[in-house]
Amino acid sequence: MLYPTQNVPHFKERRKSIRKPANSSGPSPFMELESPYHLLVSAVALLLGFNLLYILRSRVKRRRKSKEIERKLSNGAGSDRLQLTETSGSADVIVVGAGVAGAALACTLAKDGRRVHVIERDLTEPDRIVGELLQPGGYLKLIELGLEDCVDGIEAQQIFGYAIYMDGRNTKLSYPLEKFESDISGRSFHNGRFIQRMREKAASLPNVKLEQGSVTSLLEKDGTVQGVYYKTKDGQTMTAHAPLTIVCDGCFSNLRRALCKPKVDVPSSFVGLVLENIDLPYANHGHVILADPSPILFYPISNTEVRCLVDVPGQKVPSIANGDMANYLKTIVAPQIPHELYDAFVAAVDKGNIRTMPNRSMPADPQPTPGALLMGDAFNMRHPLTGGGMTVALSDIVLLRDLLRPLRNLNDPTTLCNYLECFYTLRKPVSSTINTLAGALYKVFCASPDPARKEMRNACFDYLSLGGMCSQGPISLLSGLNPCPLVLFLHFFAVAIYGVGRLLIPFPSPKRLWLGARLISGASGIIFPIIKSEGVRQMFFPATLPAYYKAPQAG
């Protein structure tokens, strides 16, 4: 729009007019610019400017919100493909993952009348080389959950203890099962068969919906988790809502960072083989060979198969593709294996079905979040040497079931969060005992050039060989039948003191005194960092924590 300019003076003329004295005659240019016409134009322009700013700001907000939805859905595609569909019906609990923890949890909560929606990435039978040994303490929890029939029909083998080999010697450690019925023992099996049996049992319950899909993120509102975003098998993006979401998506969890502070350590890897048509030296026992550089495990997984797990320290393993792994197993590992198993081991290596799996450990460090809970390997991991993972998971499920039973309405986020905080505290004595035992035993059982560590390893083997309380105490911890932190602490340092005593008899020379001091120091350096990561107060004095009293405790 063009404005009339004949009455507007030139810039130089304006400067001259400004300098005019106050008593000078003639119209002022400021008077001309402040005419009603110009004021009206200025007001309209100001309103248009504010309106334009408001529109631009709204568009920026919409763009940000759209990007946030795209990020949460992990869609990676354009906005024309973002189609959210809500699942029909409602659930009390969403369980992410249908492994051992997720499937058992779904069965347990459904039996208590909860409506459970289980979302599992892959419902085909898993093929893993770990999660194959259930300790007696875990089997008792399986019975408590009414799931003991899940080990039927899969050729599960009863396990009654361990045999430990070192430097041509061996000792047998039996589980303290005298007070239990004959059926109570450990169980070993194919992990995939066990999981499929539990999935079938969960799917058979009328209030369980078992669905294949990939959960991409949690659905949150005002700091409370209200469900999940997930993609179905055919790629459709869906949302599912429930007052409680339990994440059990395993060691590779993509959701744990939203609910805890993960500190994952990978101390070693397992190399897995299957030995066929071979009898172990001690029937129905796990076998641990204290080899160099680290332990080797054998245990039956079916009527004709024995699992062998070779621990390889560090995060790198020899290549399977170029033959380095086979060479390593034949030249380094095979000579240290009991002669009864040597031929079957070499035959398994030659067959070529070699698998590897990194061994992860991660202490539980939850961030209590209203509406959400972590369980299983997504939440807490320990070295699988002691086979304690499933025992911890099943123990957690029993505890959670008992805690939630009085809480029929899960729709109060504050009350529910108090119960979940209480769960995180009450689980600590059992889980931390099994976790600490696994980490400490692995470090003690690994070979080391350090004389003090060598002495600790020898002392541990000889201490367990003494029998009586020296073997029953540690094996009761290992079996999950007596997961008491104080018992673990006392036996661990009893081994160290036993080692020092052997050094000082018959004559305590200065060299032996120094080695004994280093042995005690080394033992402290093994167990205290593990206890610190688990939490001293949570492990030994849970009753001093406020969360201990936030929910009524069963039994």
Side-chain angles (χ1 to χ4, degrees):
M1 183 182 291
L2 298 176
Y3 300 102
T5 58
Q6 62 271 21
N7 294 328
V8 180
H10 189 270
F11 180 69
K12 290 183 179 179
E13 294 177 357
R14 285 183 62 192
R15 287 205 306 177
K16 289 178 182 178
S17 65
I18 289 171
R19 293 193 190 101
K20 283 184 179 181
N23 59 356
S24 64
S25 61
S28 167
F30 288 105
M31 292 291 292
E32 294 177 28
L33 285 171
E34 292 176 1
S35 65
Y37 181 80
H38 289 92
L39 287 174
L40 179 62
V41 170
S42 300
V44 171
L46 191 63
L47 286 172
L48 288 172
F50 274 115
N51 193 36
L52 181 62
L53 283 172
Y54 178 80
I55 292 171
L56 289 173
R57 189 178 178 188
S58 298
R59 286 182 179 177
V60 168
K61 282 185 175 181
R62 281 199 298 270
R63 282 199 195 101
R64 285 178 180 171
K65 192 171 182 180
S66 177
K67 286 180 180 178
E68 186 177 351
I69 292 173
E70 287 181 26
R71 178 183 60 78
K72 283 186 175 181
L73 294 174
S74 301
N75 205 353
S79 59
D80 58 326
R81 289 176 57 188
L82 292 177
Q83 298 180 354
L84 289 179
T85 306
E86 292 194 10
T87 55
S88 58
S90 58
D92 298 312
V93 181
I94 293 171
V95 177
V96 181
V100 172
L105 183 64
C107 290
T108 301
L109 295 180
K111 288 178 180 178
D112 276 0
R114 314 278 186 188
R115 295 165 298 173
V116 184
H117 184 183
V118 185
I119 306 171
E120 163 58 35
R121 182 182 58 83
D122 185 0
L123 287 174
T124 60
E125 184 175 313
D127 183 15
R128 303 179 65 203
I129 63 171
V130 292
E132 298 175 319
L133 180 60
L134 180 64
Q135 298 288 0
Y139 184 67
L140 286 174
K141 296 299 179 183
L142 203 66
I143 293 173
E144 199 171 340
L145 296 171
L147 298 173
E148 67 274 17
D149 58 341
C150 291
V151 298
D152 296 336
I154 60 172
E155 294 189 17
Q157 305 296 301
Q158 283 192 284
I159 301 296
F160 296 107
Y162 280 87
I164 302 179
Y165 288 72
M166 189 180 78
D167 299 333
R169 300 175 293 156
N170 67 81
T171 185
K172 187 176 80 168
L173 307 175
S174 297
Y175 294 138
L177 300 172
E178 297 82 7
K179 298 179 182 179
F180 300 97
E181 296 178 5
S182 60
D183 185 55
I184 304 302
S185 64
R187 292 291 193 281
S188 55
F189 38 68
H190 281 274
N191 173 268
R193 296 177 188 176
F194 179 55
I195 287 176
Q196 288 302 93
R197 289 280 288 131
M198 287 204 291
R199 288 175 179 175
E200 290 167 6
K201 187 149 189 173
S204 69
L205 298 173
N207 47 341
V208 172
K209 178 183 178 182
L210 181 59
E211 181 179 7
Q212 182 163 313
S214 298
V215 175
T216 55
S217 63
L218 300 173
L219 194 163
E220 293 186 46
K221 184 178 180 182
D222 300 328
T224 299
V225 174
Q226 297 184 347
V228 296
Y229 297 100
Y230 70 102
K231 288 184 179 179
T232 60
K233 189 177 180 180
D234 58 5
Q236 186 180 8
T237 300
M238 306 281 284
T239 61
H241 295 82
L244 177 59
T245 299
I246 304 178
V247 176
C248 313
D249 55 346
C251 59
F252 300 104
S253 172
N254 65 326
L255 302 177
R256 65 160 65 104
R257 290 188 178 277
L259 302 173
C260 74
K261 302 171 185 175
K263 297 175 183 175
V264 180
D265 182 34
V266 184
S268 66
S269 295
F270 269 154
V271 179
L273 299 165
V274 174
L275 281 58
E276 297 178 334
N277 300 312
I278 184 72
D279 293 327
L280 290 169
Y282 293 91
N284 299 105
H285 280 67
H287 290 60
V288 183
I289 289 83
L290 304 188
D292 186 358
S294 52
I296 305 166
L297 302 179
F298 292 92
Y299 51 88
I301 55 174
S302 75
N303 295 337
T304 60
E305 297 168 302
V306 170
R307 171 68 73 194
C308 171
L309 295 175
V310 178
D311 186 84
V312 178
Q315 298 187 15
K316 292 184 179 180
V317 297
S319 171
I320 296 175
N322 64 13
D324 287 349
M325 178 63 78
N327 183 60
Y328 174 82
L329 294 174
K330 285 183 177 181
T331 59
I332 304 298
V333 178
Q336 303 182 71
I337 287 175
H339 65 88
E340 301 98 322
L341 304 174
Y342 180 86
D343 291 339
F345 178 82
V346 173
V349 175
D350 289 337
K351 191 174 181 180
N353 188 19
I354 303 172
R355 309 272 303 281
T356 62
M357 175 77 180
N359 295 325
R360 291 172 168 82
S361 63
M362 184 183 77
D365 190 8
Q367 294 175 313
T369 304
L373 181 72
L374 274 170
M375 291 191 80
D377 284 349
F379 176 42
N380 184 203
M381 294 180 282
R382 77 288 311 149
H383 196 285
L385 173 69
T386 57
M390 289 189 287
T391 300
V392 172
L394 295 171
S395 176
D396 284 350
I397 292 169
V398 170
L399 174 61
L400 183 65
R401 178 200 65 182
D402 293 345
L403 273 175
L404 292 182
R405 268 181 174 168
L407 189 63
R408 300 312 305 171
N409 182 12
L410 302 179
N411 288 290
D412 182 352
T414 304
T415 303
L416 181 60
C417 193
N418 287 338
Y419 278 73
L420 301 185
E421 280 189 62
C422 187
F423 164 78
Y424 286 137
T425 302
L426 291 175
R427 71 179 294 275
K428 265 296 181 180
V430 172
S431 64
S432 59
T433 300
I434 294 173
N435 296 344
T436 304
L437 178 67
L441 265 187
Y442 177 71
K443 291 184 177 180
V444 171
F445 281 176
C446 283
S448 171
D450 181 13
R453 288 285 297 274
K454 283 183 180 179
E455 197 60 43
M456 183 71 178
R457 192 189 197 206
N458 291 332
C460 184
F461 180 86
D462 291 340
Y463 182 85
L464 295 173
S465 301
L466 292 174
M469 64 173 294
C470 296
S471 63
Q472 285 189 358
I475 200 68
S476 70
L477 292 165
L478 183 66
S479 65
L481 295 171
N482 182 31
C484 175
L486 186 58
V487 172
L488 167 63
F489 186 82
L490 292 175
H491 275 287
F492 186 82
F493 277 100
V495 170
I497 293 168
Y498 174 73
V500 172
R502 296 194 318 168
L503 288 171
L504 301 184
I505 296 173
F507 301 108
S509 65
K511 182 179 179 180
R512 287 171 172 264
L513 282 169
W514 173 242
L515 187 58
R518 288 189 56 211
L519 194 156
I520 294 292
S521 175
S524 301
I526 288 173
I527 197 168
F528 284 129
I530 302 174
I531 291 175
K532 182 181 178 183
S533 68
E534 291 291 330
V536 176
R537 198 172 161 195
Q538 293 91 332
M539 186 171 175
F540 292 98
F541 312 106
T544 65
L545 296 167
Y548 187 84
Y549 304 98
K550 285 192 174 183
Q553 300 170 33

